[in-house]
């Protein structure tokens, strides 16, 4: 069964600090992996997308990594800001004819003063 | 670019009412639109996938007659929750993707801001 597990479930950090969110998946075959940011009551917004051959991708203060061998990804947030408070969702697209998305349950990040 | 507009953002109505939610891609042609449901503190659950001009494909356990989906144009899809009941209360989110060559696509899904549906 295709699954995407994220850790931690929730995280509280001080403004200005860095943090790393983890994503492990069992989706096979694999097509790509996306990280989304979802503010409360809003739709998800894409941060990064990585295919099998990509190991690292950055988008401003967000850096995603992918290890397709171990089926792990991480999202590193540098110099966190209050506006980073949101849920971060890891989404994996499978390959093949039924290439559906499998969503993780997300990590709820709260950045405080 | 790649803006998806969802309307209304919030609906409160009585049990038994039918509710229509619109999802529009404003600056691109959406060959495929997706409808999701999200419960508090849970991730998105795919309800159905609709391709322009075709019947929607529903996920297992989703009632076709309950959740009517129409994707009549490349910029508009609608979800109608028929005879809504309190258990239908949820956050409904649409997304749109431009994937003209079928499902082999690395194009991201662009999400709307969701509709909070509350059935009294």
């Amino acid at each position: 069964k295709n699954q995407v597990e994220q850790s931690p479930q929730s995280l509280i950090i001080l403004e200005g600090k860095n943090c790393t969110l983890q994503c492990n998946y069992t989706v096979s075959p694999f097509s790509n992996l996306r990280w989304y940011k979802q503010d409360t009551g809003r739709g998800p917004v894409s941060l990064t997308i990585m295919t099998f051959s990509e190991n690292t991708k950055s988008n401003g203060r967000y850096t995603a990594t992918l290890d397709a061998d171990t089926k792990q990804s991480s999202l590193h947030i540098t110099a966190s800001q209050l506006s980073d408070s949101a849920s971060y969702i890891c989404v994996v697209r499978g390959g093949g004819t039924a290439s559906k998305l499998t969503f993780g349950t997300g990590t709820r990040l709260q950045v405080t003063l | 670019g790649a803006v998806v507009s969802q309307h209304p953002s919030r609906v409160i109505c009585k049990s038994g009412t039918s509710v229509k939610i619109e999802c529009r891609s404003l600056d691109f042609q959406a060959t495929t639109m997706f409808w999701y449901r999200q419960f508090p503190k849970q991730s998105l659950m795919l309800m159905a996938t609709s391709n322009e001009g075709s019947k929607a494909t529903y996920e297992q356990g989703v009632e076709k007659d309950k959740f009517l989906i129409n994707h009549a144009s490349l910029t508009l899809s609608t979800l109608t929750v028929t005879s809504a009941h309190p258990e239908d209360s949820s956050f409904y989110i649409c997304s749109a993707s431009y994937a003209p060559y079928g499902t082999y696509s690395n194009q991201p899904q662009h999400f709307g801001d969701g509709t909070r549906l509350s059935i009294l």
Side-chain angles (χ1 to χ4, degrees):
Chain A
K1 181 181 179 181
N2 290 334
Q3 288 185 316
V4 176
E5 295 183 353
Q6 292 186 243
S7 62
Q9 284 189 335
S10 61
L11 182 62
I12 301 174
I13 62 173
L14 294 175
E15 185 182 29
K17 297 296 185 181
N18 303 334
C19 68
T20 300
L21 314 180
Q22 301 291 341
C23 173
N24 297 337
Y25 62 92
T26 61
V27 177
S28 182
F30 172 86
S31 177
N32 59 60
L33 183 148
R34 301 175 171 90
W35 282 93
Y36 284 91
K37 178 186 179 185
Q38 185 179 21
D39 292 311
T40 301
R42 304 292 295 274
V45 174
S46 178
L47 296 175
T48 63
I49 176 172
M50 289 190 292
T51 58
F52 183 88
S53 60
E54 296 175 295
N55 300 121
T56 303
K57 184 166 282 189
S58 293
N59 178 3
R61 294 181 296 104
Y62 301 104
T63 299
T65 66
L66 173 66
D67 185 334
D69 292 330
T70 62
K71 299 186 177 180
Q72 295 179 325
S73 176
S74 67
L75 180 68
H76 186 75
I77 304 175
T78 304
S80 61
Q81 300 176 359
L82 296 178
S83 59
D84 292 332
S85 297
S87 286
Y88 291 84
I89 305 172
C90 176
V91 184
V92 180
R93 178 186 286 277
T97 56
S99 57
K100 295 182 179 178
L101 299 184
T102 302
F103 287 77
T105 53
T107 292
R108 298 176 68 85
L109 174 64
Q110 183 177 351
V111 181
T112 65
L113 292 173
Chain B
V3 178
V4 175
S5 174
Q6 192 172 335
H7 179 79
S9 59
R10 181 165 185 120
V11 181
I12 302 173
C13 56
K14 295 181 179 180
S15 184
T17 307
S18 291
V19 179
K20 179 183 283 187
I21 303 170
E22 291 188 351
C23 180
R24 294 181 184 272
S25 57
L26 299 185
D27 53 0
F28 69 103
Q29 292 184 327
T31 55
T32 308
M33 286 189 171
F34 307 84
W35 287 95
Y36 295 87
R37 186 172 181 176
Q38 186 177 32
F39 292 104
K41 297 185 179 182
Q42 294 187 24
S43 194
L44 283 72
M45 181 183 71
L46 180 65
M47 299 175 64
T49 303
S50 72
N51 292 296
E52 184 265 339
S54 303
K55 288 185 178 179
T57 301
Y58 290 80
E59 295 301 299
Q60 190 173 8
V62 178
E63 299 177 57
K64 300 179 182 181
D65 296 331
K66 177 75 172 177
F67 301 98
L68 301 179
I69 292 173
N70 182 279
H71 190 170
S73 77
L74 285 171
T75 59
L76 174 65
S77 176
T78 61
L79 167 67
T80 301
V81 183
T82 61
S83 187
H85 293 287
E87 58 266 27
D88 297 323
S89 298
S90 188
F91 191 54
Y92 293 86
I93 305 177
C94 74
S95 72
S97 183
Y98 178 68
Y101 302 112
T103 56
Y104 291 89
S105 173
N106 287 335
Q107 296 300 316
Q109 291 186 17
H110 305 285
F111 288 85
D113 274 340
T115 296
R116 174 74 58 193
L117 176 62
S118 299
I119 308 299
L120 306 178

